[in-house]
Amino acid sequence: MTGGLRHPVLMDISRLLSRADSAVPTGIDRVELEYALYLMRVPASQVAFVAYHPVGRIGILPRRAAASFLRVLARAWASGTRPSRASSLLAGALLQAAAFGAVGDTKHRRTYLLLSHHHLMRQDVIAAFLKRAHAAMAVMVHDLIPIEYPEYARPTEPDRHRRRMDTVGRLAESVIVPSRPVGDSLRHYLAPRGHCPPVSVVHHGCLVPSGIPASAGPLAPDAPYFVILGTIEPRKNHLLLLNLWRQMATEGGSAPLPHLVIIGRRGWENENILDMIERCPALRGIVHEHATLSDRGVAALIGGARALLFPSFAEGFGLPLLEVLAMGIPCLCSDLPVFREIAGDFPVYLDPLDGPGWRRAIAELSGHDRRPVPAPSFADWPTQVAAGLAALGVTNGKVETAC
C-alpha cells in the first residue's frame, strides 16, 4: 500500500455480514468485499473490522473470525454457490461481538471506513461511535437514485436515502463516488444544507474471470442469443426488451428469432416484468432466466452471446458493462453520462425509450456471426482500491479530487 496508512482503519463490514447466506452478490456487495480483502493484507495493528448491531452499537470484531468469514464468502460467491452454514454461523458470532460495542484503543486518531449505505440512516449511532472510537468518517456513496428517481425504489426508500445522505453531509470528512454524475448529484443535494465534505471520483475496478470455457455449455440456448445482466427491477428496463422480443416473436419472419437470456436475482416492484417472463405465451422457450450462476458460469454465457444489452434508465456506475467489454463482447447500452464516462466509445449507445432503435441494433447483430471487437483494458481492483483509499485520506497516496 503506497505510503502506508495515515491512521489506523476501522472498516465496517455490516453489509457483508447481512449477506452471509446470499448466493449471488450485488454490485455493492462486490465493492465492499474487494476493499475488505485488500485491507485484510494489512497488519491487525493498522486495520480492524467493525460492524453495526441492531441494538444500536458499532463494535470491533475479532480479526481472525472476521478474516475467516470474508474468505468463506469470497469463495462461495466466486463459485456461484450459496455460502455454507459456517458463513451464517460466523456472521452471527461476529454480530454478537459487535453488540458489546468495544472500540479498542482510543488514544490515536483513526478512520472509520463505511463503503455501503447499510446503516447510514442511523446518524445518532454513527456519531456516538465516532466519538467513542476517536475516529473520522470516510464514506463511499454509490448513487442517489432513490432520491432522484423515487419511482424506481420501494415506497419507503427515498426518505431512508435522504437520511443517509444527511448523515454523510453532517458526519463524513471525506467521500468517494464511482462516477462524476454521482458526485454532481451528491453536491447538488448537500450544498443547500450547508456542508459538503470533499468528494473524489474513483471508478470501480474491473474483474474478468480467468479460464473462461470456450463453449457456453448446456445453459446456452441452441440459437443466437443476447444477455441482460443485473437485478430484475424497473430501472433496469427489462420491459423494453421483453416487449421487443414479444413483438419479434408474434411478427415471425424468415430470419431465425434470437433468444434472450436474463441473468440476475429478482428484485422489487417488478410484478409486470415477472408476469411477462412467466405468463407471456410468445416468450416461452425464447426467454431464459438464471438467478444464481457462478462468475465462471456468467462469463461462459456472456462469452457465447451476440451482445450484452444494458438498457437501464439510471445507474451510479455499471460494473457489468466494463467486465463484458473487457471480454471483447459487444455491448448495447443506454446513452447515460455515466456509461460514456466509464466506457468511452466502446459500446453502442441508444436511448432507453427508443424501442425501434434497439430492435434495429439487435437485428443487425443477429443476422451474422459475432464480429470480433477490441477488448479495452480497464483498471483492476487492487489499483482502484488503492486509489479509493488514497482519495479518502486513508493512505498517504494522492489522487485528484472532484471538488
Side-chain angles (χ1 to χ4, degrees):
M1 187 178 294
T2 304
L5 299 182
R6 289 183 175 177
H7 306 287
V9 171
L10 305 172
M11 181 180 171
D12 198 303
I13 59 170
S14 301
R15 181 183 175 93
L16 294 177
L17 293 178
S18 74
R19 304 280 293 160
D21 57 0
S22 298
V24 178
T26 66
I28 295 178
D29 295 337
R30 290 181 182 275
V31 172
E32 185 169 304
L33 181 61
E34 290 291 345
Y35 275 78
L37 295 175
Y38 185 93
L39 288 172
M40 270 176 55
R41 304 198 300 266
V42 179
S45 61
Q46 289 293 299
V47 173
F49 295 103
V50 305
Y52 163 83
H53 191 282
V55 298
R57 301 280 285 183
I58 299 172
I60 291 180
L61 309 175
R63 172 65 180 247
R64 184 173 296 179
S68 296
F69 168 76
L70 293 169
R71 284 191 290 266
V72 168
L73 200 62
R75 284 195 299 267
W77 285 349
S79 65
T81 59
R82 189 171 296 280
S84 65
R85 179 165 171 75
S87 174
S88 295
L89 292 174
L90 273 170
L94 289 167
L95 275 179
Q96 287 302 312
F100 290 103
V103 296
D105 176 29
T106 58
K107 295 179 180 179
H108 302 95
R109 182 74 162 170
R110 294 183 284 187
T111 299
Y112 172 56
L113 186 61
L114 182 58
L115 301 173
S116 76
H117 303 158
H118 180 269
H119 52 276
L120 264 174
M121 72 289 294
R122 293 301 308 270
Q123 186 176 145
D124 55 339
V125 174
I126 295 174
F129 175 73
L130 295 176
K131 183 176 181 180
R132 288 189 296 116
H134 190 50
M137 186 178 183
V139 178
M140 179 184 291
V141 172
H142 294 268
D143 60 64
L144 279 80
I145 290 173
I147 298 173
E148 297 178 305
Y149 302 95
E151 64 271 27
Y152 299 135
R154 298 181 181 95
T156 59
E157 193 62 14
D159 181 63
R160 284 166 57 86
H161 210 60
R162 280 188 284 269
R163 289 161 57 196
R164 294 183 185 112
M165 297 305 102
D166 290 344
T167 299
V168 171
R170 293 175 184 173
L171 298 181
E173 294 193 9
S174 57
V175 181
I176 55 174
V177 294
S179 63
R180 290 186 182 89
V182 177
D184 293 342
S185 295
L186 182 61
R187 290 193 298 274
H188 179 76
Y189 178 83
L190 291 179
R193 287 157 175 78
H195 177 64
C196 178
V199 178
S200 300
V201 176
V202 179
H203 291 169
H204 296 325
C206 181
L207 174 65
V208 178
S210 59
I212 300 170
S215 168
L219 294 180
D222 187 21
Y225 66 93
F226 294 80
V227 168
I228 177 171
L229 175 60
T231 303
I232 300 175
E233 56 173 304
R235 75 177 170 89
K236 300 291 186 179
N237 203 13
H238 289 76
L239 275 179
L240 169 80
L241 301 180
L242 293 172
N243 279 305
L244 286 180
W245 251 265
R246 178 170 61 181
Q247 186 181 71
M248 291 188 290
T250 55
E251 288 179 1
S254 57
L257 181 65
H259 289 213
L260 177 65
V261 177
I262 299 172
I263 304 175
R265 65 186 182 91
R266 295 185 174 190
W268 47 89
E269 306 291 329
N270 57 15
E271 291 82 1
N272 290 342
I273 306 169
L274 301 184
D275 284 346
M276 284 199 69
I277 294 173
E278 295 173 351
R279 297 166 50 193
C280 178
L283 299 181
R284 287 174 189 160
I286 61 171
V287 172
H288 315 267
E289 181 188 4
H290 300 287
T292 57
L293 291 176
S294 67
D295 289 349
R296 182 180 171 86
V298 171
L301 267 177
I302 290 173
R306 294 300 173 93
L308 173 76
L309 308 178
F310 208 158
S312 295
F313 289 116
E315 293 287 346
F317 189 71
L319 271 176
L321 180 61
L322 288 196
E323 293 171 348
V324 172
L325 285 171
M327 293 171 60
I329 307 300
C331 294
L332 309 180
C333 69
S334 294
D335 193 359
L336 302 180
V338 62
F339 288 165
R340 289 191 176 271
E341 176 186 334
I342 67 175
D345 295 330
F346 288 99
V348 173
Y349 293 101
L350 297 158
D351 189 295
L353 293 175
D354 181 12
W358 282 87
R359 181 167 176 178
R360 284 192 297 271
I362 291 166
E364 182 179 344
L365 288 170
S366 301
H368 49 70
D369 291 338
R370 194 179 70 202
R371 299 168 183 167
V373 297
S377 177
F378 300 108
D380 61 17
W381 266 113
T383 299
Q384 295 310 100
V385 171
L389 294 175
L392 289 169
V394 172
T395 69
N396 292 324
K398 295 181 179 180
V399 297
E400 183 178 352
T401 59
C403 70

